[in-house]
Amino acid sequence: MRIAVAVLTALVAAGLAAPPAWAQPATGPRAADTASPEAIIAALYDVISGPAGQARDWDRFRGLFAIGARLLPAAPRSDGSVPAALSPDEYITRANDALLKGFFEQEVASRTEAFGTIMHVFSTYESRRAKADEKPFARGINSIQLMQHGGRWWVVTVMWDQERPDNPIPAKYLEGRRP
């Protein structure tokens, strides 16, 4: 009987010490990646960027996101269908081959709103095929929702739309533009 009680006590104590069920494995992001909103957004851009042929650190990418997080390309589709929201793994499957051709995306301006443990960032970006390319091949805005929990920041949603002739980036989202 004492052995059964001791085993049960050990199991309960181990369960109480376990991380929350939504937490990502510790092998994911670097601690510095999730220490602040600026750090997690920089990590998000960094992990998808790299020269042609360079594999991306998808474990680091996955570790930035809360369980149930979604990524959504919101630009209108040529067939008129509604874009599908993607899990981080679905995004990896969809984007990996294109990113391996050479892709660098960087934030050039941002606007932030926050309350308590939640934050919304409109992150204006430019995309280039090579880091040294003078002119971006695409620009747009990433709408990023963040949550602070468990001593770190988590990406909950990334939704983006690209600039097009009929959809220019408004000047207010380019204010404070970084080189």
Side-chain angles (χ1 to χ4, degrees):
M1 177 75 169
R2 287 183 187 176
I3 293 175
V5 169
V7 169
L8 182 58
T9 301
L11 288 173
V12 168
L16 292 174
W22 55 266
Q24 295 289 338
T27 59
R30 304 168 189 155
D33 284 350
T34 61
S36 69
E38 298 80 12
I40 200 166
I41 289 172
L44 187 61
Y45 282 112
D46 184 55
V47 78
I48 63 171
S49 297
Q54 178 181 300
R56 302 311 191 256
D57 184 347
W58 292 123
D59 286 337
R60 180 183 179 203
F61 178 82
R62 285 182 192 96
L64 300 174
F65 292 87
I67 295 294
R70 308 308 281 165
L71 296 102
L72 179 66
R77 299 170 59 121
S78 59
D79 65 2
S81 64
V82 175
L86 308 167
S87 69
D89 282 326
E90 290 167 331
Y91 174 85
I92 291 166
T93 299
R94 177 180 157 177
N96 188 62
D97 290 346
L99 297 177
L100 284 173
K101 293 177 182 175
F103 182 82
F104 289 86
E105 191 165 270
Q106 68 178 24
E107 180 179 77
V108 296
S110 68
R111 294 179 73 115
T112 302
E113 296 287 335
F115 174 75
T117 60
I118 62 173
M119 181 175 285
H120 177 248
V121 180
F122 252 36
S123 176
T124 306
Y125 66 84
E126 292 183 345
S127 303
R128 292 172 169 76
R129 296 285 176 218
K131 197 171 194 171
D133 288 352
E134 190 172 318
K135 185 176 178 182
F137 71 86
R139 297 185 337 159
I141 295 178
N142 285 315
S143 172
I144 304 169
Q145 287 70 50
L146 302 173
M147 167 181 66
Q148 185 181 37
H149 190 76
R152 60 160 286 178
W153 286 90
W154 299 88
V155 176
V156 178
T157 308
V158 180
M159 182 168 49
W160 64 97
D161 196 356
Q162 288 188 338
E163 184 174 48
R164 301 177 293 284
D166 66 334
N167 190 45
I169 296 174
K172 69 181 182 180
Y173 297 119
L174 292 167
E175 291 174 5
R177 185 178 161 80
R178 294 181 280 287

